[in-house]
Amino acid sequence: MERTGSLVNGARERLLEAALTIIRTRGYADTSIDEICRAAGVTKGAFFHHFGSKEEMAVAAAAHFSEITRGIFAAAPYRTLVDPLDRVTGYIDFRASRLRGDIPEITCLFGTMVQEVYRSHPAIREACEHGICGRAAEVAEDIEEAKRRYCPNTPWSAEGLAAYIEAVFQGAFILSKARGGPEVALECVGHLQRYIELLFTPDGA
């Protein structure tokens, strides 16, 4: 029974990994169940054993992507920094360091899917929103601590700045796709880094 369960779970994992790769490369609409099954090396029957529909698979893929990225960020070096502002800037630097390689590998599954389906597939939209906003909420905790330390009297909110940081990265991904390379994304992140430095100038400095 344990061996059978392992095989079943392995098939689901392969399907989700295949979905991440293909959707980020081609988009949700242009990704077929047959293509995912071929890439995962499983039968269509196996697909429907795990997922009732393509939409259900996409929601699961978003959750899978959240789990993967959560682990990556939790283990990133900036998480060990004592100063909260160093953690904020370290987060941006860490994401910038990952903006190298083929576009499908560096872009975000959430942004890719939600641009296509935000009106047609509300379940996928909600899954993508959860992923993007969950990441922003974690960053907002460090921003709030840094704000209290360096500029407590400024009127902006930690939540708003965290959302802005995520918006810069999502927009940078779109520009990278439009231009066929990550160079423009790195330029955008450079501007973000300079903005954060100005924003956290201590009060009265």
Side-chain angles (χ1 to χ4, degrees):
M1 287 296 293
E2 290 181 0
R3 177 61 177 166
T4 301
S6 176
L7 289 172
V8 169
N9 290 334
R12 186 178 191 277
E13 182 83 8
R14 292 198 304 276
L15 285 163
L16 291 174
E17 289 294 327
L20 295 188
T21 299
I22 298 171
I23 292 173
R24 286 199 287 177
T25 301
R26 303 182 54 157
Y28 175 78
D30 201 33
T31 295
S32 69
I33 292 174
D34 287 336
E35 187 176 14
I36 291 173
C37 290
R38 282 195 300 271
V42 303
T43 65
K44 205 166 183 178
F47 178 95
F48 285 107
H49 173 78
H50 293 287
F51 309 111
S53 64
K54 179 183 170 183
E55 179 183 51
E56 185 178 315
M57 177 275 303
V59 171
H64 184 60
F65 188 67
S66 287
E67 184 178 351
I68 291 171
T69 54
R70 189 180 301 114
I72 290 171
F73 286 111
Y78 75 88
R79 293 306 316 160
T80 64
L81 299 176
V82 175
D83 190 307
L85 181 54
D86 288 342
R87 293 197 298 272
V88 174
T89 58
Y91 168 74
I92 296 170
D93 291 342
F94 181 70
R95 291 198 68 170
S97 73
R98 297 173 62 81
L99 292 174
R100 290 171 175 82
D102 293 336
I103 289 177
E105 296 174 358
I106 68 173
T107 53
C108 177
L109 177 75
F110 306 133
T112 298
M113 288 202 297
V114 79
Q115 290 175 65
E116 290 186 73
V117 306
Y118 73 98
R119 294 186 67 179
S120 57
H121 294 77
I124 300 176
R125 182 196 61 76
E126 290 173 7
C128 293
E129 177 193 21
H130 180 77
I132 294 172
C133 292
R135 170 61 41 212
E138 292 180 10
V139 178
E141 293 179 6
D142 288 332
I143 294 173
E144 181 62 41
E145 188 177 343
K147 185 175 184 290
R148 286 197 300 268
R149 180 176 297 190
Y150 291 102
C151 47
N153 298 322
T154 51
W156 51 267
S157 71
E159 292 77 12
L161 180 57
Y164 173 73
I165 291 172
E166 296 308 305
V168 169
F169 278 103
Q170 293 297 332
F173 296 147
I174 293 172
L175 287 173
S176 293
K177 291 175 180 178
R179 294 193 181 179
E183 293 79 13
V184 65
L186 291 168
E187 186 176 358
C188 289
V189 173
H191 285 295
L192 174 62
Q193 290 165 324
R194 287 185 286 274
Y195 174 67
I196 294 295
E197 182 179 349
L198 290 171
L199 199 62
F200 280 94
T201 299
D203 291 348

